[in-house]
Amino acid sequence: MITIRPYRPGDRADVYDVCVRTGATGQDASGMYSSDDLLPDIYALPYVDTEPELAFVADDGERVVGYVIATADTRAFARWFSDTWWPSVAGKYGGTVSDAEAGILASAADPERMLVSEVDDYPAHLHIDLLPEAQGQGLGRRLIDTLRSALAERGVRGLHLTMGADNINAGAFYRRLGFTELASSTDTGTSFGMAIERS
Ligand SMILES: CC(C)(COP(=O)(O)OP(=O)(O)OC[C@H]1O[C@@H](n2cnc3c(N)ncnc32)[C@H](O)[C@@H]1OP(=O)(O)O)[C@@H](O)C(=O)NCCC(=O)NCCS
């Protein structure tokens, strides 16, 4: 049986693994970039290291098979990411890379990228990923519900996320849960934002 529980520091390697294996629009991104560290270094590890109290995992008894991770305050997180986190890992990357990797690196180096126009209405943002074998069993809904309760306890107004426009399944999932598209999403073609009030 798969259970939802708070993140523990010993889960870090599994979170890294889930991030890589779901990082290509929900498919396995292993070997896609100059280092498999790239996606976890941007989209997973900074969250569990700085706000572990807002990280929750799906545990099958053997290992973590999925997670939801978040920051309560996107403005503060963006500052910390650009001032402290990214400089501590950015030296691993560079040189000649694919256009896709160059785009990811440029986005990571841009502290403004996280500040959607609606950020003050929806100050928290999240990432959620489940390994294929853990999908379609209601775990995504349970992880989001757990996170929303934790945010409500902290008095956070609302929650948003930014996702690749080509991730049709994820878009359908978020809409089913009651997320609506951010008006600012029309600003960009490759990604869009979705948001929901706190529970
Ligand atoms: C997207 C993801 C988090 C959804 O989690 P999940 O556990 O598979 O989804 P759930 O089983 O909890 O589904 C919750 C609800 O959404 C609906 N839903 C989920 N995926 C759907 C889809 N592709 N189309 C339509 N509805 C969908 C379910 O039917 C369910 O509805 P119900 O609760 O009213 O019965 C998960 O599939 C995943 O990790 N995918 C790969 C990584 C990824 O794309 N992450 C998101 C990046 S932005």
Side-chain angles (χ1 to χ4, degrees):
M1 196 182 79
I2 301 179
T3 54
I4 306 291
R5 62 165 175 79
Y7 171 83
R8 300 191 287 249
D11 300 327
R12 199 172 187 271
D14 285 345
V15 166
Y16 173 110
D17 181 60
V18 172
C19 179
V20 174
R21 287 167 60 194
T22 57
T25 317
Q27 308 296 310
D28 193 351
S30 302
M32 273 183 76
Y33 303 111
S34 58
S35 165
D36 279 351
D37 291 358
L38 180 72
L39 298 178
D41 270 350
I42 299 171
Y43 302 113
L45 302 181
Y47 296 84
V48 297
D49 285 2
T50 192
E51 290 180 70
E53 68 281 7
L54 288 179
F56 300 93
V57 299
D59 183 338
D60 72 357
E62 303 269 316
R63 57 160 291 162
V64 165
V65 293
Y67 59 74
V68 65
I69 55 183
T71 176
D73 182 345
T74 297
R75 284 191 185 279
F77 181 86
R79 269 195 306 277
W80 170 81
F81 186 97
S82 84
D83 292 349
T84 305
W85 175 267
W86 187 241
S88 76
V89 295
K92 292 195 235 174
Y93 309 105
T96 306
V97 294
S98 67
D99 288 351
E101 182 163 346
I104 293 171
L105 290 170
S107 145
D110 173 13
E112 300 293 309
R113 78 188 158 93
M114 297 179 203
L115 303 183
V116 296
S117 310
E118 300 87 345
V119 68
D120 295 322
D121 289 329
Y122 305 99
H125 79 256
L126 72 86
H127 296 281
I128 183 169
D129 292 303
L130 288 152
L131 291 178
E133 59 267 30
Q135 295 172 14
Q137 303 166 40
L139 293 167
R141 182 185 275 281
R142 287 171 57 200
L143 284 166
I144 298 270
D145 286 349
T146 304
L147 173 63
R148 288 179 70 201
S149 297
L151 291 170
E153 279 169 21
R154 287 162 176 77
V156 179
R157 278 179 81 177
L159 168 67
H160 76 278
L161 60 100
T162 304
M163 55 170 288
D166 50 355
N167 197 340
I168 307 297
N169 286 327
F173 163 76
Y174 294 124
R175 282 192 187 85
R176 180 76 183 154
L177 266 58
F179 285 75
T180 54
E181 195 165 335
L182 292 174
S184 64
S185 290
T186 50
D187 298 349
T188 161
T190 55
S191 66
F192 64 91
M194 305 205 68
I196 195 165
E197 316 299 326
R198 74 181 197 212
S199 57

